[in-house]
Amino acid sequence: MNNSIIRYILGCVLKIETILLLFPCLVAIIYKEDKGIYYFITACICLVLGILLTLKKPESLVFYLKEGSAATALSWIIMSLFGALPFWLSGEIPSFTDALFETVSGFTTTGASILSDVEALSHCSLFWRSFTHWIGGMGVLVFLLAVIPLSGGSQINLMRAESPGPSVGKLVPKIKTTARLLYIIYFGMTILQIIFMLAGGLELFDTLAITFGTAGTGGFGIKNDSIGGYSPYIQWVVAIFMVLFGVNFNMYYLFLYRKWRKALSIEEVHTYFILIIISVTVIFINIAKTIGSASDALRHAFFQVSTLITSTGFSTTDYDLWPQTSKTVLIVVMFIGACAGSTGGGIKVSRVIILVKSIKKEMASYIHPKCIQKIKMDGKPVEHEIVRATNVYFVAFTIIFFLSVLAVSIDNKDFTTNFTAVLATINNMGPGLAEAGPAQNFGSFSIFSKIVLMFDMLAGRLELFPLLILFHPGIWKELFIKKRKPGQKK
């Protein structure tokens, strides 16, 4: 294993985090808050460690998927550990476990919070909470690929380990250019939402915080009622942009290069929008009489479907009080999630399509045993490797999910709370139902349960295997036990 490249990447990540930590420092200066000093101290620590780790450049810049997975998982863990320090050092979140939970939830764009009074935080801490969503939405390592030189064939291994979805490909021949294009699209859509939010008369600070949460599909609110206190216009803007950020970014790339027909023929995107329309219709009919106003019922239905299918986690109302049919529909879309190649979480629409088509193919083989069928997406055959990886992912997801539900059950909470808390964290959703619902928080869970849920958040954001690989004994042997050269004595 190329340990030196992993060390180098971790150092680069810490340098990037140094720069990112300066933004809440600037917010603290603007609002004249003394809490900003803790962000500056943390930035200095990150800078020193980053310099030390990158002093010696790797002998080889070539690395494979195992190095990419290990570097990705370790980068997200280190980012979260240092990102939690300002919350803890400032005393705004006295428990380091809680501070780490909040930060992991931020970077993984989960939006699950342990805070009962969000508005008690300083402006710089509120900004950092929301900013972690924007950072984690596209991924810091994708940004890293855009700015540091790595061997061309190796870069895809780093992007594949961090980017959400069953498969990652190049939009253009060079990975560096692909990474830059992704960030240009991401940044452009962020700016567009900021413009629409400001047009609605919202203050700049609120606009930035909410936009960061929307773009990263994270969902940290800066008000105790999340988005519920804002105007219907703002809620509609947020809901629409949540849906847009849940779309496969390949479609935006195709639009950018005027490949209209190809962009509009992506099967995953079609299914994604159909799921949203059906879910909103069912919930609208189910809650219309309860809400009273048809326009309010439609807005709440569209908002909650948008926020949960994209794994954002904002809320305009306590949907835990809705009828069982509506809550069941929301749980279904929570499982499915957004498109691959978006900032959204969940199992991903493309995986669900492949699984359904695999079932259909298996049923057809019973009827016509000698018939050879291939699973197709967008009119093209899906490689067996992708189908196999999808099936393995679903099995691994199911095992981790139910083991996590079993683990958090030691807190003796009701099944709905345990089930939806794990569902909300492993799918990077944010709120669940019951004691983990939109009107509640995760502060009542034990330290052990919070550690389990943090693992779920990281595993969900990194598509399970980059994090799971850290638990393989062979990885640690290669990381810490150097192989002897031929003829070298023990």
Side-chain angles (χ1 to χ4, degrees):
M1 177 175 277
N2 190 350
N3 295 350
S4 59
I5 191 66
I6 295 176
R7 167 188 54 78
Y8 186 75
I9 289 171
L10 294 179
C12 290
V13 166
L14 285 172
K15 285 182 178 178
I16 292 174
E17 190 163 18
T18 299
I19 297 170
L20 298 173
L21 282 162
L22 296 179
F23 285 94
C25 293
L26 179 61
V27 173
I29 292 171
I30 293 171
Y31 286 93
K32 299 177 181 179
E33 295 173 336
D34 57 0
K35 302 295 183 184
I37 188 65
Y38 300 104
Y39 289 92
F40 183 74
I41 291 170
T42 306
C44 291
I45 296 170
C46 289
L47 180 61
V48 171
L49 290 175
I51 291 172
L52 290 174
L53 289 172
T54 54
L55 274 177
K56 185 181 178 182
K57 290 194 174 182
E59 295 178 2
S60 172
L61 293 175
V62 177
F63 60 95
Y64 301 98
L65 187 56
K66 61 181 178 181
E67 285 96 344
S69 297
T72 299
L74 290 171
S75 294
W76 280 72
I77 292 169
I78 287 174
M79 280 173 56
S80 299
L81 286 169
F82 284 100
L85 280 180
F87 290 135
W88 181 58
L89 292 173
S90 65
E92 292 193 278
I93 303 180
S95 165
F96 184 74
T97 303
D98 286 350
L100 184 60
F101 185 97
E102 200 77 8
T103 309
V104 170
S105 181
F107 278 125
T108 59
T109 71
T110 303
S113 180
I114 50 84
L115 297 170
S116 57
D117 186 9
V118 174
E119 295 176 37
L121 293 181
S122 59
H123 284 86
C124 57
S125 291
L126 286 173
F127 180 88
W128 178 241
R129 280 175 83 243
S130 298
F131 194 40
T132 55
H133 282 333
W134 195 83
I135 297 164
M138 185 57 65
V140 71
L141 295 179
V142 174
F143 176 76
L144 198 64
L145 290 173
V147 296
I148 68 169
L150 292 172
S151 295
S154 303
Q155 293 175 338
I156 188 67
N157 292 320
L158 200 61
M159 180 176 281
R160 187 180 292 130
E162 185 180 53
S163 299
S167 64
V168 175
K170 304 174 186 178
L171 298 181
V172 290
K174 291 185 178 180
I175 286 291
K176 182 183 286 291
T177 309
T178 296
R180 286 176 179 170
L181 276 172
L182 286 172
Y183 257 98
I184 288 170
I185 295 168
Y186 189 50
F187 188 77
M189 289 176 65
T190 302
I191 295 297
L192 190 62
Q193 184 182 345
I194 289 172
I195 293 170
F196 275 100
M197 299 282 278
L198 290 174
L202 204 61
E203 293 181 3
L204 180 60
F205 181 83
D206 291 45
T207 294
L208 292 174
I210 294 171
T211 301
F212 290 152
T214 307
T217 60
F220 273 152
I222 58 172
K223 304 292 183 183
N224 291 330
D225 62 355
S226 188
I227 308 295
Y230 294 101
S231 68
Y233 169 83
I234 295 297
Q235 292 177 11
W236 275 110
V237 170
V238 172
I240 290 168
F241 273 92
M242 284 191 293
V243 171
L244 294 177
F245 278 107
V247 171
N248 192 321
F249 273 41
N250 282 0
M251 190 185 81
Y252 299 129
Y253 164 77
L254 293 170
F255 276 135
L256 200 63
Y257 283 85
R258 298 181 182 180
K259 298 178 180 179
W260 314 108
R261 185 174 295 179
K262 195 173 181 180
L264 295 171
S265 64
I266 299 175
E267 185 177 353
E268 181 186 28
V269 178
H270 292 171
T271 308
Y272 171 69
F273 281 109
I274 290 169
L275 281 169
I276 291 173
I277 292 168
I278 293 172
S279 301
V280 170
T281 303
V282 171
I283 293 175
F284 170 73
I285 294 170
N286 193 228
I287 67 171
K289 291 181 180 179
T290 307
I291 300 295
S293 168
S295 60
D296 287 346
L298 179 62
R299 174 165 47 85
H300 289 310
F302 181 67
F303 192 98
Q304 298 314 139
V305 170
S306 301
T307 193
L308 293 181
I309 198 170
T310 60
S311 79
T312 306
F314 285 136
S315 62
T316 56
T317 185
D318 186 0
Y319 52 80
D320 195 25
L321 302 175
W322 284 358
Q324 290 298 325
T325 301
S326 295
K327 289 193 285 187
T328 303
V329 171
L330 292 178
I331 288 174
V332 171
V333 299
M334 285 170 73
F335 264 114
I336 296 171
C339 298
S342 70
T343 61
I347 292 173
K348 301 294 183 299
V349 175
S350 56
R351 282 199 182 98
V352 173
I353 293 172
I354 291 172
L355 286 169
V356 170
K357 288 187 176 183
S358 296
I359 295 170
K360 185 179 177 182
K361 178 186 174 184
E362 189 65 21
M363 289 173 66
S365 70
Y366 276 73
I367 301 170
H368 305 288
K370 295 182 179 180
C371 179
I372 299 174
Q373 288 189 347
K374 288 188 177 181
I375 296 171
K376 293 184 178 181
M377 286 274 286
D378 301 325
K380 297 178 182 178
V382 178
E383 295 178 10
H384 174 73
E385 185 66 21
I386 293 176
V387 177
R388 183 197 63 81
T390 300
N391 294 333
V392 171
Y393 175 91
F394 188 73
V395 172
F397 177 92
T398 304
I399 292 171
I400 294 171
F401 181 86
F402 284 106
L403 285 177
S404 297
V405 172
L406 180 63
V408 300
S409 66
I410 64 168
D411 285 357
N412 204 29
K413 295 182 183 295
D414 63 275
F415 179 75
T416 301
T417 297
N418 296 333
F419 187 89
T420 58
V422 173
L423 176 61
T425 49
I426 198 170
N427 275 350
N428 305 129
M429 297 292 169
L433 297 173
E435 290 186 51
Q440 308 295 326
N441 62 73
F442 287 72
S444 63
F445 284 87
S446 66
I447 291 176
F448 173 75
S449 292
K450 287 173 184 173
I451 292 170
V452 171
L453 296 174
M454 281 190 277
F455 171 85
D456 289 340
M457 286 189 275
L458 287 166
R461 174 58 181 83
L462 299 179
E463 302 287 299
L464 305 184
F465 293 101
L467 187 65
L468 290 179
I469 201 172
L470 293 184
F471 294 87
H472 195 290
I475 288 292
W476 292 102
K477 286 180 182 178
E478 292 197 39
L479 280 173
F480 295 109
I481 301 174
K482 292 183 179 180
K483 292 182 180 179
R484 296 189 304 276
K485 295 179 180 178
Q488 186 178 355
K489 292 182 179 180
K490 291 185 180 179

